[in-house]
Structures are given as C-alpha cells and as structure tokens.
Amino acid sequence: EVQLVESGGGLVQPGGSLRLSCAASGFTFSSYAMSWVRQAPGKGLEWVSYVSDNSGGTYYADSVRGRFTISRDNSKNTLYLQMNSLRVEDTALYYCAKDWVSGVVDYWGQGTLVTVSS
Amino acid sequence: DIVMTQSPDSLAVSLGERATINCKSSQSLLYNSNNKNYLAWYQQKPGQPPKVLIYWASTRESGVPDRFSGSGSGTDFTLTISSLQAEDVAVYYCQQYYTNPPYTFGQGTKLEIK
C-alpha cells in the first residue's frame, strides 16, 4: 500500500524557516517524480515544487522560487521542502504528491499545516 | 504560464441528474506528436486530499465509476457526471500538465445537491 506521510509543519513567524519532510513507502520511490502542492485555508490547489526521480530536474512556482528548495533522498525514501523567508501568504496545508503519468498525481499525503503568523 | 479557468464556480444539481463542469485553458493542451490532451480532473471531498478521476482529458482512472466522463480537446474541456450521487458532493479541479512543472490547476468548482 502506497503511503506518503508529511511532517514538519507548524507555526512560524514571518521571515522564518521550516523544513517539511515526506516519508514514502509502498512503491519504488526512486522511480517517480515527486511534488509539493499546497492549499491555503478554504482555497484551491497550488503546485509549489517538483523534483524528478533522480533529482536531475527541479521546478518551482513563481511565488516560491528563490525561497523554497525541494530535494529528495532516495536512499531514505524521503522528500523534503526547505522553506525560507516565509510569508503570511505561505500559510497552507502542504501535500506531498507522487507523480504518476507525466504530471498526474496518483497518490497524495494527508498534508502538513504551515501557519505563518506573528 | 498556462491559466486554467473553470466554470461555474459552484453548481447545485438534483440527485440522479447530470452535472457538467467546464475548464478552459489559455493555450492548447493538445500535444500533436501523440495526439494527447494533457489535462486531468481531480475530486476533493471535505477534509481529504484530492483524488484523480480522469487523465489525458478522457481516460478514467481505475476504480472511478463510469458515471464520470471527460471530454474536450485543445483548450476546452468538460467533466460530466451522468447521474449525480450523494457521494459526489465535492470540489472538482482541472489541472494541466502540458508544460514543464509547476503545473496549474483551475480554481475549483464546488458541486452540491439541490
């Protein structure tokens, strides 16, 4: 059974940093691209960042480029999102997502909540 | 960036009736070399992560009831629920994966029972 379990969310002040993790199991982690997708409270979905299966390609939404860094450790079956210079508008539930078919997500985690507030 | 626009923003349909959600992209999602439209539909129920229903614009994901269907090509797409069931109450999103990531979603359509 595929499982994606996010952790690392919490309350942080504007300008602060957080590191999210996503522990993956039930599939060959190193064979699939992975992404972070966020959802602000009561709002829609926003694709935040993507990393290819071998970390050869990374992409970011304009809203986070230069502040967030996606990475993965295939030996630990874990995906990361380092978030720096956090802003109030980064407040959201952050989902870890497994890429299945060229950008289609077939599995999602339950999400970890990031709240940026003073 | 490709902008995805859904209509309507919300929709109320009687049980057993047809529900139709539209999605328009700011540029074509049809890749000529393989004749595939890079468009997916997701369903998100309250308190849950999204679930993929349709990909390649019209291919139903395994296990998705056949009352769900996707159609369209190029820039205009439709998700149809042929006979609405109570469990279909959710927010529905279209998503393009034509360009390099990050991919983009529509703003969502909230489907309720009338």
Side-chain angles (χ1 to χ4, degrees):
Chain A
E1 179 195 3
V2 171
Q3 285 197 318
L4 300 171
V5 180
E6 303 94 337
S7 61
L11 175 63
V12 61
Q13 291 187 337
S17 298
L18 278 177
R19 188 194 198 200
L20 306 185
S21 299
C22 171
S25 61
F27 65 102
T28 305
F29 182 72
S30 59
S31 296
Y32 294 91
M34 298 292 294
S35 292
W36 289 98
V37 178
R38 69 184 180 184
Q39 188 168 35
K43 302 297 184 182
L45 302 168
E46 180 187 16
W47 209 295
V48 173
S49 187
Y50 164 104
V51 60
S52 64
D53 55 358
N54 63 2
S55 301
T58 58
Y59 297 91
Y60 300 91
D62 290 344
S63 57
V64 307
R65 188 175 295 114
R67 301 187 298 122
F68 290 11
T69 302
I70 192 170
S71 62
R72 63 191 295 163
D73 186 334
N74 286 346
S75 68
K76 295 182 178 179
N77 290 349
T78 303
L79 174 72
Y80 303 100
L81 185 68
Q82 177 67 44
M83 304 187 297
N84 298 329
S85 303
L86 282 161
R87 304 169 180 169
V88 170
E89 55 265 34
D90 294 320
T91 295
L93 187 64
Y94 283 73
Y95 291 107
C96 170
K98 172 182 170 287
D99 187 302
W100 171 50
V101 178
S102 303
V104 178
V105 174
D106 60 345
Y107 287 97
W108 303 71
Q110 289 299 311
T112 186
L113 182 62
V114 172
T115 303
V116 184
S117 174
S118 54
Chain B
D1 292 358
I2 297 178
V3 177
M4 307 298 292
T5 304
Q6 292 180 226
S7 62
D9 289 335
S10 62
L11 181 63
V13 175
S14 300
L15 290 172
E17 295 300 305
R18 178 184 300 260
T20 301
I21 299 170
N22 301 301
C23 176
K24 188 174 184 68
S25 59
S26 60
Q27 69 182 71
S28 177
L29 304 183
L30 177 62
Y31 196 47
N32 290 327
S33 65
N34 60 10
N35 201 37
K36 288 181 180 290
N37 286 281
Y38 284 58
L39 187 283
W41 289 97
Y42 295 85
Q43 174 194 64
Q44 187 178 31
K45 296 182 178 180
Q48 297 183 18
K51 169 190 171 184
V52 63
L53 299 175
I54 303 283
Y55 55 97
W56 301 131
S58 60
T59 301
R60 195 180 305 114
E61 165 71 323
S62 175
V64 173
D66 61 7
R67 63 180 181 273
F68 290 91
S69 64
S71 62
S73 184
T75 61
D76 293 280
F77 301 91
T78 300
L79 174 69
T80 301
I81 307 172
S82 60
S83 177
L84 188 70
Q85 305 299 303
E87 61 264 32
D88 300 335
V89 169
V91 179
Y92 293 83
Y93 295 92
C94 61
Q95 174 232 326
Q96 68 82 16
Y97 48 104
Y98 182 86
T99 60
N100 283 332
Y103 309 111
T104 46
F105 294 94
Q107 79 276 19
T109 295
K110 186 175 184 179
L111 177 58
E112 299 174 313
I113 304 294
K114 184 186 290 183

